[in-house]
Amino acid sequence: SKYFHCTFPQILNIIRVEKASRLLTESNININEISNQFGYDNMRTFNRNFIQIMNITPREYRKNPIKNR
């Protein structure tokens, strides 16, 4: 399992970012709104977690989702 060596907060962040990445590609919802929908109080934390998990910023991911899958 991809979660085997992860702590609960890490697992939660992975799930949140994966779901947010789907919204980034399937909607035109503002990135800040998407981060709020998944429980992030500020964009800085969302961006940091997104980059850590996806190795790209949310904005870059939205621009080229096919390349990033």
Side-chain angles (χ1 to χ4, degrees), residues 41-52:
D41 294 333
N42 62 66
M43 282 296 297
R44 187 174 183 184
T45 304
F46 177 66
N47 280 329
R48 185 176 60 238
N49 285 336
F50 198 95
I51 292 167
Q52 185 177 23

Side-chain angles (χ1 to χ4, degrees), residues 27-41:
S27 76
N28 291 322
I29 299 171
N30 179 288
I31 294 173
N32 191 45
E33 288 181 45
I34 291 173
S35 71
N36 289 336
Q37 283 185 25
F38 290 98
Y40 291 97
D41 294 333

Side-chain angles (χ1 to χ4, degrees), residues 40-68:
Y40 291 97
D41 294 333
N42 62 66
M43 282 296 297
R44 187 174 183 184
T45 304
F46 177 66
N47 280 329
R48 185 176 60 238
N49 285 336
F50 198 95
I51 292 167
Q52 185 177 23
I53 293 163
M54 305 297 277
N55 297 314
I56 193 168
T57 67
R59 179 167 289 140
E60 291 168 337
Y61 187 89
R62 175 172 263 173
K63 284 181 187 176
N64 201 349
I66 293 169
K67 178 182 171 185
N68 300 311

Side-chain angles (χ1 to χ4, degrees), residues 3 5-16 52-53:
Y3 306 125
H5 292 287
C6 297
T7 65
F8 179 74
Q10 290 170 327
I11 293 168
L12 186 59
N13 282 327
I14 291 167
I15 292 168
R16 290 158 83 188
Q52 185 177 23
I53 293 163

